[in-house]
Amino acid sequence: MKLRMNLVLLALAAVLLFFLPDLLKLFFDKASVSYLSLLINATSLAILALSWDILARTGQLSLAHAAFFGAGAYSTAILVKQTDVSLWLGLPLAALSAVLLALLLGSVTLQLRGIYFAIATLSFAEVLKAVIQKLPSSLAGGAAGINVEPLFRPQFIAGEMERWEIAFLRNESYFLLYAGLLLATIVLSLLIESSSLSYAFSAIRTNEEVAAVMGVKAARFKLLAFVLSSMPVGILGAIQAHRIGSVSPDETFNVGTTVLALVTPIFGGLYTSLGPILGALGLASIEEFLRRTFSEGYLIGYGIVLVLSILFMPKGIMGLLRSLRKAQRESL
Amino acid sequence: MSLLKVSRLSKQFGGLNAVQNLSFSVEEGMIFAIIGPNGAGKTTTLNMLSGLLTPTSGTIALNGQDITQLTAAARCHLGLGRAFQVVQPFPEMTVEENVMVGALFGARQSKQLALNQTHAVLEQTGLLRLKDTSADDLTLLQEKRLEIARALATHPSLLLLDEVMAGLRPKEAQEAVELIKTVNTSGVTIIFIEHVMPVVRDLADQVLVMDYGTPIAEGSYHEVTQNPQVIQAYLGTDEDAA
């Protein structure tokens, strides 16, 4: 029942997102371009955060998101470079390579818990990066990387002199692609939440031994969560590769991806579908606001915001909302 | 054939022999007590039975099948249920959700069947009216009931109870005794660890006494309490005498 209601809300959100680029143009005219790029940032951050949270629900803290992102980006880039097949085939291929990577690495490392698992997964991206650099550059581009053909034509604004890349980035079809991927990730997360998986995930998270004695095969569920969590990130990597127009070892396997994937859901509120999304909207807006206000050194301000939020809302935005609602109920 | 057969089971922690050469068997339908002073190896034994510890040597057979190498989850699927001495509910879940974990993954059934079974178990353990309470907000007696309810939801043929009476007031302990009797009557064989001797007297068909990791006596309540070795083991550490 709850699932059905959420899916209806999601369908409404889908309609809104579909018309959002046009609405932005209507309200903000030329400035709509920067709002659209803010939205793209928020959406991709939400995909990273929500997919990360899926594994976190089993109690495993992953630092592997840059690896899945990079695997998706590079498999698409190599496919596009080496073959003449449709560009769109890169997206399912990216999902597949992220899943295979998750299966391979997860089956080895998921028996580690807590900080040990985190450290093991941190090495995934570094290892992949080194492998890409060592592969013959005719295949994987070496340290310089590979150019990736765009999925959509560039959009120019009449009468404006601007660089091609910007015109490429602006294409609003990309926003629809990101929004579609986010919606799919939300559906995945909601399905997990309403299925019996959610019982297994939180049992494993709170007490793995007791869960095992009650018949929960922890290893299998953690691997499943890892695989499900890797899939959206792989596709995200592929879309980003097309939009940016290139992949390179340093840019694509960026530790920043890994950090954002865990900071955002913590900021928004862990173990929910809504928390990571609120976190992404919040962080992307704060970052944009700070960048416009202090163009130099805005990252210091961003850091301060994060520290303060951890200190004053340890359970994230969701925790804050929950305690506000509780206070309201008690005052009635 | 015995429901559970333990043969020459031993567990060493470094140089310490926590359990040594322990053999016993439990017949179907029985209530079997394991007693002994603190540090006798009772909980270690239960941990080896439920698969949380691997024995150093020896074998455990359930229904004739050797389960010594199986994981805890696999043993649960074969009908081995376990309630812990220190209650460990999943604190972020409600009472109902706690029991659902056992009903879904222990008894391996669809969500609807699991929900029905959960309600039946909650009814049986007197927790139904608390089903939407957070497991964090229960009293000790309620937590102990939840501990038993979760184990029952896995649909066990053999239930291991680790000192479920500890910390309960006499009247509460009496309620718990009644609950265990009902569970046993419904066809579940029970092994329990207990310090409270009247409870052992009221419940146990067979009593195994352990001291320093070794079995020192086995028999009816009457037999073992007359055994000079048992009396000596208890008088030696009188804090445990009941």
Side-chain angles (χ1 to χ4, degrees), chain A:
Chain A
M1 286 100 308
K2 205 181 151 204
L3 175 69
R4 206 171 298 162
M5 203 178 75
N6 281 329
L7 290 180
V8 169
L9 284 177
L10 210 57
L12 291 176
V15 173
L16 178 70
L17 285 172
F18 186 78
F19 291 110
L20 200 55
D22 293 322
L23 286 176
L24 286 176
K25 260 182 263 173
L26 205 64
F27 285 116
F28 299 110
D29 196 27
K30 272 181 191 165
S32 71
V33 176
S34 54
Y35 283 100
L36 201 62
S37 93
L38 169 63
L39 277 172
I40 286 184
N41 283 344
T43 318
S44 68
L45 198 55
I47 295 164
L48 279 181
L50 187 55
S51 61
W52 184 88
D53 191 75
I54 290 175
L55 179 69
R57 291 171 198 176
T58 69
Q60 295 287 47
L61 193 151
S62 159
L63 298 177
H65 256 40
F68 297 137
F69 182 91
Y74 258 95
S75 55
T76 300
I78 293 172
L79 178 81
V80 170
K81 181 180 177 215
Q82 305 291 349
T83 67
D84 287 329
V85 295
S86 155
L87 294 182
W88 292 96
L89 272 180
L91 302 192
L93 178 74
L96 185 68
S97 40
V99 163
L100 289 179
L101 189 67
L103 275 177
L104 184 75
L105 299 175
S107 53
V108 188
T109 54
L110 276 166
Q111 51 199 308
L112 301 171
R113 292 191 206 172
I115 193 77
Y116 302 101
F117 175 73
I119 292 168
T121 53
L122 185 58
S123 64
F124 296 176
E126 293 307 313
V127 171
L128 279 185
K129 192 163 124 179
V131 169
I132 295 281
Q133 279 166 339
K134 294 286 177 230
L135 282 176
S137 58
S138 58
L139 177 71
I146 313 174
N147 286 330
V148 187
E149 232 179 287
L151 284 168
F152 305 109
R153 308 280 316 142
Q155 277 181 345
F156 293 99
I157 294 176
E160 295 243 335
M161 298 289 290
E162 54 184 4
R163 288 162 44 203
W164 268 72
E165 304 96 276
I166 306 223
F168 270 120
L169 288 177
R170 184 167 53 240
N171 192 312
E172 60 207 34
S173 304
Y174 280 113
F175 170 70
L176 296 180
L177 208 51
Y178 282 88
L181 181 59
L182 176 60
L183 290 172
T185 312
I186 297 175
V187 170
L188 176 68
S189 165
L190 289 175
L191 286 176
I192 292 173
E193 252 176 38
S194 69
S195 76
S196 53
L197 281 179
S198 69
Y199 292 94
F201 286 4
S202 38
I204 295 168
R205 180 178 76 239
T206 26
N207 195 329
E208 193 171 328
E209 277 196 347
V210 175
V213 167
M214 292 174 75
V216 181
K217 294 192 164 172
R220 202 176 290 180
F221 284 111
K222 286 197 274 189
L223 191 59
L224 178 64
F226 201 41
V227 164
L228 293 178
S229 147
S230 73
M231 209 158 31
V233 194
I235 304 178
L236 181 68
I239 299 179
Q240 206 106 308
H242 283 295
R243 187 171 76 101
I244 305 293
S246 67
V247 292
S248 72
D250 285 327
E251 293 286 318
T252 306
F253 295 98
N254 188 339
V255 74
T257 309
T258 294
V259 174
L260 283 176
L262 85 125
V263 167
T264 314
I266 292 173
F267 179 77
L270 292 170
Y271 319 136
T272 54
S273 294
L274 190 56
I277 298 166
L278 291 181
L281 276 174
L283 283 185
S285 318
I286 291 171
E287 191 193 354
E288 184 71 16
F289 169 77
L290 289 171
R291 180 162 38 202
R292 286 180 187 207
T293 323
F294 329 95
S295 52
E296 292 286 326
Y298 75 95
L299 280 172
I300 299 173
Y302 189 63
I304 293 173
V305 168
L306 285 182
V307 170
L308 289 179
S309 68
I310 293 287
L311 281 177
F312 294 107
M313 40 178 224
K315 298 214 159 163
I317 299 175
M318 290 300 277
L320 193 68
L321 291 179
R322 268 191 289 257
S323 50
L324 284 179
R325 209 179 321 157
K326 206 175 156 198
Q328 196 182 27
R329 229 176 325 172
E330 276 162 11
S331 72
L332 283 177

Side-chain angles (χ1 to χ4, degrees), chain B residues 29-88:
Chain B
M30 199 183 233
I31 301 187
F32 186 94
I34 302 179
I35 64 169
N38 278 341
K42 306 181 295 293
T43 298
T44 305
T45 304
L46 237 48
N47 281 341
M48 287 192 281
L49 293 185
S50 54
L52 293 179
L53 281 177
T54 315
T56 313
S57 63
T59 59
I60 304 163
L62 184 70
N63 260 326
Q65 182 186 352
D66 185 346
I67 60 166
T68 321
Q69 301 304 324
L70 297 185
T71 62
R75 292 181 200 205
C76 174
H77 296 153
L78 289 174
L80 199 66
R82 161 87 187 258
F84 287 88
Q85 176 182 8
V86 182
V87 288
Q88 335 193 15

